[in-house]
Amino acid sequence: MAFLATAALSGALSLGTAQAQTPPPKMKMTTDIPVAITTPDRVDTRLGTLKFFDGFPDDATVEKVYDNLDFERGVQAFLTAMPGASLYAVREGFRSQGANDNQTVLITESLLDSKSLFLTANTETVYNMMWIDLKNGPIVIESPPNVLGVLDDFWFHYVGDVGNAGPDKGKGGKFLLLPPGYKGDVPEGYFVFRSKTYGNAFFWRGFVVNGSTQPTVDATKKFAKVYSLSDAKNPPPMKFINVSGKAFNTIHANDFSYYEEINHVVQEEPNDALDPETLGVLASIGIEKGKPFAPDERMKKILTESAAVGNATSRAILFRPRMKDAYYYANSAWCSPFVGGSYEFLLQPGVRNLDARTMFFYYATGITPAMAAKMVGAGSQYASAFVDSNGKALDGSKTYKVHLPPNIPAKTFWSFVVYDNQTRSELQTDAQFPSIGSQPKGFVMNSDTSADVYFGPAAPAGHETNWIQTVPGKGWNVLLRLYGPLPPWFDKTWKPGEFELVN
């Protein structure tokens, strides 16, 4: 960093630093100055020794602290703007499969397997996914019945629920999604949502019926429609693309290109969609609406390191959370994805739980109150685990056993899905679906209604039907899902066992 400094000033600062040990003379107006408001001539910090002449930083100190400031703001941008980067990657992933905004539904007709990269997707429901763009005006959504759907804006703020948790109560209905600042007429006959961004993600899940996805697939193709309000009298046909078994990526970058992803969102969306503080952090590192993001060599080097540290910080928060409320039980590995039970990640009204937000968005997608709400006998609950009973990272070369006590509190069904620590996506093994649970045929329950599940590179003899394959040399984690959770889950009178090392 270049600074304007004359040789005389530099010499004066050097001389002043050497002479600063001598107290200044007492003047007529001299009073006692509290030590706490002064700055020593030398301060030892993690940045090294910072030097001052009577509080004025020398050139080397100024350079150090500005480099550090840019680095810190780069890390903060990584942690804070992650929701936008995540949805940018989702949109680009959709487009890579030929999806047109507002017209194309990506559907997993034979469920979502491990070939595609999606943050912690499940293997039990039919995913339907599309990108909605409001730049040309309001969009109408016609929803199929009996689905779980959510609309999130481009910064992953919750917009509204569609389906079982929405105002249509799962009966299907017509929704009207209005763009930022919309002042036009709002026709009757719609459930109305307003978005702060033009870009919006629309996800909905349908259910397997008697072991078949076909009824849900048929219902989606019959009832799902998305079109401009201006085309309401003659909607264009929808396009459906089956992405089951397709290899494509929807996960944000962890290197310098992360900031380029964020820049796309900032350029496309109104500033009103995000808070001034976060936009200020982004502007401080060169990401500002209406301006090119073109960091010089110095800044690019700093941001490359910021991304690396931001990524490492996110992984520490996810895999080794230090939040007490992250854990369901004392001395247990089982964690909640929604720490504190708030889909807005609030410690109390107006106070954000920053680590909880990072933990969720680095691991998962889809924001809706329905995912965090305690609904007995309805919806679903989630518990993640990243370590074994000894606090060691789960290792793909080892075999583990988890015992689920009797009367597993799931009215509908329960499942385990195993994820790759690197991608946080389904672990790629020899099996199409790295999962197991109460639905698959052949799973053996114990006579007392308890269950034992094994995880390892090879099936333990006699337990082949209750085993999920892992990969030597790869770390992994797991989500336990309870569909239709019952009271013993919420009051914690039922507790899943830990990951016990078998060999």
Side-chain angles (χ1 to χ4, degrees):
M1 184 177 292
F3 296 97
L4 295 177
T6 65
L9 177 59
S10 296
L13 289 178
S14 298
L15 180 61
T17 301
Q19 294 177 340
Q21 301 301 322
T22 302
K26 279 206 169 189
M27 310 302 285
K28 288 182 180 180
M29 299 299 292
T30 297
T31 62
D32 291 334
I33 305 299
V35 174
I37 71 169
T38 66
T39 301
D41 291 346
R42 297 173 62 91
V43 181
D44 292 325
T45 72
R46 65 176 57 198
L47 304 181
T49 299
L50 307 181
K51 298 178 181 180
F52 304 84
F53 165 59
D54 197 31
F56 194 107
D58 70 7
D59 289 355
T61 294
V62 170
E63 184 172 358
K64 284 180 182 177
V65 296
Y66 273 133
D67 282 353
N68 182 65
L69 183 61
D70 290 339
F71 167 74
E72 287 184 344
R73 285 178 173 165
V75 173
Q76 193 58 39
F78 189 99
L79 299 176
T80 305
M82 190 181 297
S86 185
L87 270 190
Y88 175 79
V90 165
R91 185 186 70 177
E92 296 309 291
F94 290 179
R95 289 178 174 178
S96 75
Q97 296 305 294
N100 297 319
D101 300 349
N102 304 337
Q103 185 184 12
T104 306
V105 178
L106 300 184
I107 182 171
T108 59
E109 295 188 14
S110 53
L111 304 178
L112 190 62
D113 65 24
S114 59
K115 283 192 174 181
S116 52
L117 301 178
F118 278 87
L119 291 176
T120 52
N122 72 54
T123 60
E124 297 92 20
T125 60
V126 178
Y127 281 95
N128 304 271
M129 305 162 285
M130 64 183 306
W131 191 260
I132 294 179
D133 191 313
L134 299 171
K135 286 189 176 69
N136 293 324
I139 293 291
V140 176
I141 297 170
E142 295 188 21
S143 168
N146 191 32
V147 298
L148 288 171
V150 63
L151 280 155
D152 290 319
D153 77 12
F154 212 158
W155 289 111
F156 243 134
H157 298 134
Y158 169 70
V159 176
D161 284 303
V162 172
N164 298 357
D168 62 309
K169 306 299 182 184
K171 297 178 181 178
K174 290 185 177 182
F175 297 79
L176 184 62
L177 183 60
L178 302 178
Y182 181 76
K183 303 295 184 183
D185 294 334
V186 180
E188 296 182 353
Y190 298 95
F191 300 110
V192 179
F193 294 146
R194 293 180 180 271
S195 176
K196 291 184 177 181
T197 63
Y198 295 106
N200 294 264
F202 181 28
F203 308 96
W204 72 95
R205 290 178 291 161
F207 303 98
V208 175
V209 179
N210 296 323
S212 173
T213 62
Q214 199 59 47
T216 292
V217 172
D218 292 344
T220 288
K221 293 183 176 181
K222 179 178 180 180
F223 294 109
K225 294 181 176 62
V226 176
Y227 49 88
S228 296
L229 179 61
S230 58
D231 293 329
K233 292 184 179 180
N234 186 28
M238 294 293 291
K239 180 181 178 182
F240 298 90
I241 299 176
N242 179 20
V243 293
S244 290
K246 297 292 181 67
F248 63 104
N249 176 50
T250 67
I251 300 171
H252 68 74
N254 289 325
D255 58 11
F256 173 80
S257 60
Y258 173 94
Y259 301 105
E260 295 173 323
E261 294 173 342
I262 291 296
N263 183 59
H264 279 284
V265 186
V266 169
Q267 300 306 326
E268 291 184 34
E269 298 298 346
N271 281 344
D272 288 346
L274 199 59
D275 62 279
E277 195 76 18
T278 302
L279 287 174
V281 170
L282 296 177
S284 74
I285 62 170
I287 298 175
E288 190 172 357
K289 189 171 182 65
K291 298 181 180 181
F293 176 52
D296 59 20
E297 184 178 349
R298 168 193 166 273
M299 194 63 182
K300 187 169 184 179
K301 181 179 179 182
I302 287 174
L303 290 180
T304 298
E305 185 180 4
S306 293
V309 173
N311 176 54
T313 304
S314 302
R315 287 178 175 273
I317 290 170
L318 173 62
F319 296 136
R320 293 286 194 182
R322 63 181 182 179
M323 297 169 286
K324 183 179 178 181
D325 289 348
Y327 298 94
Y328 280 112
Y329 319 97
N331 302 314
S332 173
W334 293 107
C335 296
S336 169
F338 282 102
V339 179
S342 168
Y343 77 96
E344 295 177 294
F345 311 103
L346 297 177
L347 288 165
Q348 54 179 275
V351 181
R352 189 83 65 201
N353 188 332
L354 300 177
D355 286 359
R357 180 178 60 185
T358 296
M359 182 179 185
F360 178 85
F361 281 112
Y362 197 75
Y363 193 52
T365 59
I367 285 294
T368 165
M371 291 180 70
K374 296 180 179 179
M375 297 184 292
V376 176
S380 52
Q381 286 286 301
Y382 309 83
S384 56
F386 308 101
V387 298
D388 65 17
S389 59
N390 296 313
K392 303 295 185 182
L394 296 170
D395 184 339
S397 65
K398 298 177 181 178
T399 300
Y400 304 85
K401 173 184 174 182
V402 171
H403 178 71
L404 299 181
N407 302 313
I408 300 170
K411 179 181 178 180
T412 310
F413 66 95
W414 59 268
S415 74
F416 283 109
V417 182
V418 173
Y419 300 99
D420 184 327
N421 282 351
Q422 283 281 13
T423 65
R424 292 90 71 208
S425 301
E426 293 177 23
L427 184 67
Q428 295 179 335
T429 69
D430 293 330
Q432 183 180 8
F433 302 110
S435 59
I436 207 166
S438 57
Q439 280 192 325
K441 294 179 180 179
F443 185 85
V444 178
M445 297 291 294
N446 298 326
S447 59
D448 63 353
T449 74
S450 67
D452 294 305
V453 182
Y454 295 83
F455 304 78
H463 301 290
E464 291 82 0
T465 59
N466 289 28
W467 162 72
I468 304 178
Q469 187 180 25
T470 60
V471 181
K474 285 209 67 63
W476 56 276
N477 64 84
V478 70
L479 268 174
L480 169 62
R481 288 175 169 89
L482 302 175
Y483 292 87
L486 298 174
W489 171 255
F490 295 109
D491 63 25
K492 298 183 180 179
T493 55
W494 184 90
K495 173 187 173 184
E498 303 298 313
F499 284 79
E500 303 292 347
L501 188 62
V502 176
N503 58 54

